[in-house]
Amino acid sequence: MIGADGQRDEDEGAPGPGGRRRGLLKAAGVALAGVLVLSAVGAGWVYWHLNHNIKSVDINGALGDDRPPKSVATPSASASASPLPSGSLNILVLGSDSRSGKANAALGGGDSTGARSDTAMVVHIDEGRTGATVVSIPRDTLVTRPSCPTPSGGTSSVAYGTMFNSAYSLGGPVCAVKTVESLTGVRMDHYLEIDFSGFAKLVDALGGVTVTTDEDIDDDQSHLHLKAGTHLLDGTHALALARTRHGIGDGSDLGRIGLQQKLVKALLEQISSTSLLTSPAKLYQVADAVTGSLTTDTGLDSLGELTKLGQSLRSLSADHVTTVMMPVVAAPSDANRVVAREPAAGELWASLK
């Protein structure tokens, strides 16, 4: 276009240097806007995807008020200044041996028609959330299983002297929580369950986990063969370590619990040493691994709630996590089973209320 002075207007795409510069800036602006739009869409999809990965069970609705009382938090002077919760929590964490899905089946889960709580831990987070105690419950423990709502809509009968992990097989997370509360007298504030494939994917997403074993492990059933010493394990081998029982000690579940507790501490150390916030790709990989195989209660069934829980634990380090096992003795009725050793077990649970 020719201007009033008879000169070509450089703003109209003239070949002069000013026109080219403005054209490049305009193109760069359009490209940047496109990147920002795509990033916003991508972030929205990631949030939607991770949020919809999480499965949940309404445990509070199923159990009602027939439960131990909730712990009463001590008011904090800085409560108004911090939006993050800081009260004590008790969380039942189960590792499920479900064989649903090809990934779980390949890793050696239970039969296809059901699952068991292969690993059970009560995680008590201290008030202030700078310390925690992880209490393992042997799956071979004989307990009184209370009457539970069943997935079919009925109600089970009370069972005496039955295996602890039968509660999950019978009534899923709801019965597992009710049985733990009956055994301990402690209210479970939350429930978390992860299956075999989720655990293995989490370890792989973190780049493996370093564990030191005190003795050689030679277990054909878990397919794990390790010499005593320090090892960097991938997800498949870390899962095998968590499941090993026949290659160590007396071959009981009690020896396996010791290995599982080593893994808990090692995973906490690995998570704290991994710069997830500086690597969005790794952060997504870890989050996808966890949420894709996670079942929670309805109080933790969103990415926002899980994130808030994680942020509230940012001052909790592996050095301030104590791992113990519920005190047990051999069951009088069966030397291959155990029962809670009293009064030590009762005193332990009372300390977590």
Side-chain angles (χ1 to χ4, degrees):
M1 177 178 178
I2 304 299
D5 57 359
Q7 301 296 316
R8 181 177 295 273
D9 191 341
E10 291 183 343
D11 287 335
E12 293 296 322
R20 285 196 298 271
R21 185 162 51 250
R22 277 185 283 273
L24 289 172
L25 289 174
K26 183 183 290 186
V30 171
L32 178 58
V35 170
L36 291 175
V37 169
L38 289 174
S39 296
V41 171
W45 180 87
V46 166
Y47 186 90
W48 180 91
H49 173 70
L50 295 177
N51 213 45
H52 282 72
N53 270 348
I54 305 166
K55 300 178 287 292
S56 66
V57 177
D58 186 5
I59 291 173
N60 287 335
L63 295 184
D65 296 328
D66 185 21
R67 308 178 65 185
K70 292 182 179 180
S71 58
V72 178
T74 303
S76 171
S78 59
S80 60
S82 174
L84 293 176
S86 59
S88 63
L89 281 179
N90 288 301
I91 304 173
L92 176 61
V93 179
L94 294 187
S96 164
D97 71 350
S98 168
R99 191 174 277 175
S100 61
K102 293 181 179 180
N104 282 321
L107 291 168
D111 61 63
S112 58
T113 59
R116 297 160 297 182
S117 51
D118 198 60
T119 302
M121 297 178 177
V122 173
V123 179
H124 173 79
I125 301 170
D126 297 341
E127 187 168 347
R129 306 201 176 179
T130 58
T133 302
V134 179
V135 184
S136 296
I137 302 176
R139 72 175 191 174
D140 293 340
T141 304
L142 298 182
V143 301
T144 298
R145 189 184 65 220
S147 173
C148 295
T150 59
S152 63
T155 304
S156 68
S157 300
V158 177
Y160 300 94
T162 190
M163 287 270 286
F164 167 75
N165 67 349
S166 71
Y168 184 91
S169 301
L170 176 72
V174 171
C175 196
V177 169
K178 188 165 186 180
T179 300
V180 168
E181 291 184 341
S182 176
L183 173 67
T184 66
V186 178
R187 172 76 167 242
M188 296 297 110
D189 300 296
H190 290 298
Y191 172 84
L192 290 172
E193 175 192 328
I194 190 166
D195 63 25
F196 279 3
S197 66
F199 178 81
K201 289 176 182 176
L202 171 61
V203 172
D204 285 336
L206 290 169
V209 61
T210 301
V211 177
T212 300
T213 58
D214 301 323
E215 58 182 300
D216 294 348
I217 297 175
D218 191 20
D219 189 348
D220 289 333
Q221 293 197 30
S222 68
H223 309 291
L224 185 67
H225 305 279
L226 285 179
K227 293 293 184 182
T230 300
H231 306 273
L232 176 63
L233 304 179
D234 63 10
T236 300
H237 288 94
L239 177 62
L241 183 68
R243 301 187 66 212
T244 290
R245 64 186 292 179
H246 299 288
I248 56 168
D250 60 1
S252 73
D253 192 44
L254 306 187
R256 170 165 53 187
I257 283 175
L259 293 177
Q260 291 173 349
Q261 291 176 342
K262 280 181 180 287
L263 269 174
V264 168
K265 298 293 276 293
L267 274 173
L268 288 173
E269 291 169 355
Q270 182 68 15
I271 290 170
S272 65
S273 65
T274 304
S275 301
L276 296 178
L277 295 181
T278 61
S279 175
K282 182 174 284 291
L283 178 60
Y284 171 77
Q285 189 179 6
V286 170
D288 192 41
V290 173
T291 58
S293 303
L294 194 67
T295 301
T296 74
D297 65 283
T298 49
L300 288 178
D301 63 351
S302 72
L303 196 59
E305 291 297 333
L306 287 172
T307 300
K308 186 186 295 184
L309 174 63
Q311 289 174 335
S312 76
L313 301 176
R314 63 186 182 276
S315 298
L316 178 63
S317 68
D319 292 338
H320 293 92
V321 175
T322 302
T323 55
V324 298
M325 183 179 71
M326 181 182 76
V328 295
V329 294
S333 60
D334 187 343
N336 294 318
R337 302 288 181 260
V338 297
V339 294
R341 176 168 59 85
E342 299 297 355
E347 292 169 352
L348 171 62
W349 297 125
S351 71
L352 305 185
K353 292 182 180 179

